[in-house]
């Protein structure tokens, strides 16, 4: 955040629009006169860029929005019982209104403040209308940018188009089609702007993102403008970000929900809009061609991972893969490595150690300190992690053995998931605590309970290291542990490219501007981690291949906040088995001595089975979140989503 918010504000010009513009109605009512003089604000590049910096500042931090935060609302996660008020549980019981009540979510904030650097003060709906208005005012005042080179002018214009589309798109994912605001609305006039269809909004967002991609550089550091802030430009909107969201925008428009409507149900889950899918593939293809030809600063990070206890290779090299999600001992370096494409600011680095990092481990006997809130991976979701040979668990040829359920799994399983017998604590422990060194996640195990242990038989270590416990102390100041979830990363792009191509061409589908087919894109990700390629039995059928693409997306992007929107757009949110959350039940066969001397992957179990914890009773209305009553009451054309 310091890199973005300080470097171009040295002129002392801080552009503070009136505070309190936090609902749609209040945003629409504000007049241009509420801003600092346009002649000052927009006269040169430094001042204009300072005006734009506030938009970056408004991007919510999903992981650290609240003391204990919720961002996974699909079939992927559960909280322990004390976390029932969080949005994850509220979605489970069908209470989608809860997004407006600050249920530990980044979607809203009654106290949002666009100039604050406090991570708690930023929410999506709270800032979107505000930032869209800022973008429109900037675009309408470009003619006042008289002291600027063409490069400077292009960068300003490109950022404004990007952010106008980005804020619209982020809202569209949850609320559907909205009025697409592409002009400064005058104060005092009657509002009549209708809600557009999703695809109509996508067309407008796509036009803005295409303009942004044409105007913005690949890497600010390689430009004359960017050299003034060399090494501090990583978060600035660029061509790759614009292309990534251009493709995502069109893929969402192509998706079964947006083409067919919620009423059509899961029977249409493979029915994509092929025209939009081709547009998506071309945008992703343009991006991936630039990446794979070495013309960008982005690349897939290495899966330098072997030791499941330390997230290190046997050689002791720190895992670059984990650096996408958290960093330790790197002077609070922001996570993302070479793969994070779009991120917002990450402030109060150490604050995350007293919030996010303490919400993934078991609280039994104070093993992980602080608030008694725990993110649990559901057993039904963990099943997406197939075998090392690339086959899903339920494939007869996969080799999965329920007596050895943790053996020979997809390598990402060992990086992401904590399972029974896992050595959770590496440091010295008091003698009376030694029984918690190895996870007891079998039925009736030492860490199996809904209050302060695991409800599902698994824990998560993908986003926060398991060493964030009282004895290993990874959340202590000296470890410099910094967490952040990117909004978009390169692994995401490969899965979306594959899906877009598969929508119109199956496994052999490809864009005209990129050499790889959909199948080859998925195999690129599997090669990165050492998992087997998509089997031939899944490439002959378009539908079976799409299922594999979706499973790959579930594994590659697990717990990163994308699953709800994926199930939603695929028309699977209401469908079995995606509407259940389960636990993994089994009996431990091995004794403690086995885990002290052997790899837990090799442990034998008995009675391996799933049990349903809850079933989500969703109907058609749950495909979209309800809008705020105060906003839909403004005028008839701004209507509520069906069923709410």
């Amino acid at each position: 955040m310091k890199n973005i918010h300080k470097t171009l504000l040295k002129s002392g010009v801080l552009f503070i629009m009136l505070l309190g513009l936090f609902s749609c109605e209040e945003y629409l009512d504000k007049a241009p006169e509420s801003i600092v003089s346009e002649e000052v604000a927009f006269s040169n590049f430094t001042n204009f860029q300072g005006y734009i910096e506030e938009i970056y500042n408004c991007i919510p931090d999903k992981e650290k929005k609240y003391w204990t935060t919720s961002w996974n609302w699909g079939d992927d996660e559960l909280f322990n019982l004390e976390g029932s008020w969080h949005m994850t549980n509220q979605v489970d019981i069908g209470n989608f209104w809860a997004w407006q009540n600050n249920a530990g979510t980044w979607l809203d904030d009654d106290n949002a403040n666009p100039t604050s650097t406090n991570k708690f003060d930023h929410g999506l709906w709270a800032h979107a209308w505000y930032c869209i208005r800022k973008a429109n005012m900037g675009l309408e005042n470009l003619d006042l940018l008289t002291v600027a080179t063409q490069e400077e002018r292009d960068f300003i214009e490109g950022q404004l188009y990007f952010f106008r589309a980005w804020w619209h798109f982020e809202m569209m994912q949850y609320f559907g089609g909205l009025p697409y605001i592409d002009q400064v609305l005058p104060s005092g006039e009657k509002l009549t702007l209708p809600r557009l269809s999703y695809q109509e909004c996508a067309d407008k967002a796509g036009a803005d993102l295409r303009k942004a991609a044409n105007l913005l550089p690949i890497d600010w550091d390689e430009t004359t403008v960017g050299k003034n802030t060399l090494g501090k430009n990583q978060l600035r909107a660029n061509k790759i970000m614009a292309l990534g969201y251009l493709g995502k925008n069109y893929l969402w428009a192509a998706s079964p929900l947006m083409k067919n409507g919620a009423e059509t149900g899961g029977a249409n889950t493979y029915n994509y809009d092929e025209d939009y899918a081709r547009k998506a593939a071309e945008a992703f293809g343009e991006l991936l061609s630039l990446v794979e030809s070495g013309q960008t600063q982005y690349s897939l990070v290495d899966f330098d991972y072997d030791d499941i206890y330390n997230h290190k290779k046997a050689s002791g090299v720190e895992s670059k893969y984990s650096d996408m999600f958290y960093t330790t001992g790197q002077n609070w370096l922001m996570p993302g490595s070479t793969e994070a494409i779009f991120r917002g600011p990450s402030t109060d680095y150490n604050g995350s150690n007293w919030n996010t990092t303490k919400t993934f481990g078991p609280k039994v006997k104070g093993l992980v300190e602080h608030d008694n809130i725990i993110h649990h991976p559901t057993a039904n979701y963990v099943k997406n992690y197939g075998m090392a040979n690339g086959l899903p668990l339920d494939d007869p040829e996969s080799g999965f053995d329920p007596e050895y359920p943790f053996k020979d799994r997809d390598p990402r399983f060992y990086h992401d998931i904590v399972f029974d017998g896992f050595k959770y604590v590496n440091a010295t422990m008091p003698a009376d605590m030694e029984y918690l060194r190895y996870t007891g996640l079998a039925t009736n195990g030492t860490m199996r309970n809904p209050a302060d242990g695991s409800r599902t038989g698994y824990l998560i270590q993908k986003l926060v290291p398991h060493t964030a416990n009282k004895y290993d102390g990874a959340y202590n100041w000296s470890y410099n542990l910094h967490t952040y979830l990117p909004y978009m990363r390169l692994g995401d792009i490969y899965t979306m490219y594959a899906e877009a191509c598969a929508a119109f061409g199956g496994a052999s589908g490809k864009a005209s501007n990129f050499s790889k087919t959909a199948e080859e894109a998925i195999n690129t990700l599997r090669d990165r981690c050492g998992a087997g390629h998509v089997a031939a039995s899944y490439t002959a059928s378009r539908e079976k291949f799409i299922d594999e693409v979706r499973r790959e997306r579930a594994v590659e992007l697990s717990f990163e906040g994308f699953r709800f929107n994926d199930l939603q757009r695929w028309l699977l949110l209401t469908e079995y088995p995606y509407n259940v959350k389960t636990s993994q039940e089994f009996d431990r066969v091995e004794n403690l001595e086995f885990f002290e001397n052997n790899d837990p992957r090799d442990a034998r179990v008995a009675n391996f089975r799933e049990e349903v914890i809850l079933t989500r009773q969703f109907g058609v209305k749950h495909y979209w979140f309800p809008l705020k009553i105060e906003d839909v009451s403004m005028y008839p054309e701004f209507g509520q989503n069906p069923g709410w």
Side-chain angles (χ1 to χ4, degrees), residues 19-85:
L19 305 183
L21 309 181
F22 307 131
S23 80
C24 180
E25 181 174 13
E26 290 168 331
Y27 147 73
L28 291 170
D29 279 348
K30 294 303 173 184
E33 290 75 25
S34 64
I35 300 183
V36 165
S37 164
E38 287 93 339
E39 286 73 17
V40 175
F42 307 120
S43 61
N44 59 56
F45 175 79
T46 301
N47 287 4
F48 214 136
Q49 185 63 34
Y51 172 85
I52 294 173
E53 294 298 310
E54 190 178 74
I55 300 179
Y56 289 97
N57 188 52
C58 287
I59 299 169
D61 185 335
K62 298 179 184 180
E63 274 190 314
K64 300 189 286 292
K65 170 64 177 69
Y66 192 66
W67 300 110
T68 57
T69 317
S70 165
W71 62 88
N72 290 314
W73 307 326
D75 62 343
D76 44 353
E77 187 179 273
L78 277 168
F79 276 73
N80 59 324
L81 295 183
E82 196 166 316
S84 61
W85 62 275

Side-chain angles (χ1 to χ4, degrees), residues 440-449 585-587 609:
L441 294 173
T443 303
N444 298 320
T446 56
M447 293 183 182
R448 281 297 295 274
N449 70 78
E585 304 300 330
F586 58 94
D587 300 323
R609 64 201 184 278

Side-chain angles (χ1 to χ4, degrees), residues 149-159 214-216:
T149 65
Q150 187 60 50
E151 182 182 68
E152 290 173 332
R153 187 180 180 87
D154 287 348
F155 290 9
I156 292 293
E157 187 176 5
Q159 289 175 92
N214 293 343
L215 290 163
L216 291 169

Side-chain angles (χ1 to χ4, degrees), residues 440-486:
L441 294 173
T443 303
N444 298 320
T446 56
M447 293 183 182
R448 281 297 295 274
N449 70 78
D452 57 8
S454 172
R455 297 175 68 184
T456 67
Y458 298 108
L459 294 166
I460 304 170
Q461 65 162 349
K462 177 180 182 177
L463 308 181
V464 170
H466 70 89
T467 49
N469 63 64
K470 181 166 64 176
Y471 301 103
D472 291 314
Y475 45 58
N476 294 337
W477 176 270
S478 59
Y479 278 79
N480 301 160
L481 176 57
H482 187 180
T483 64
Y484 188 83
L485 264 182

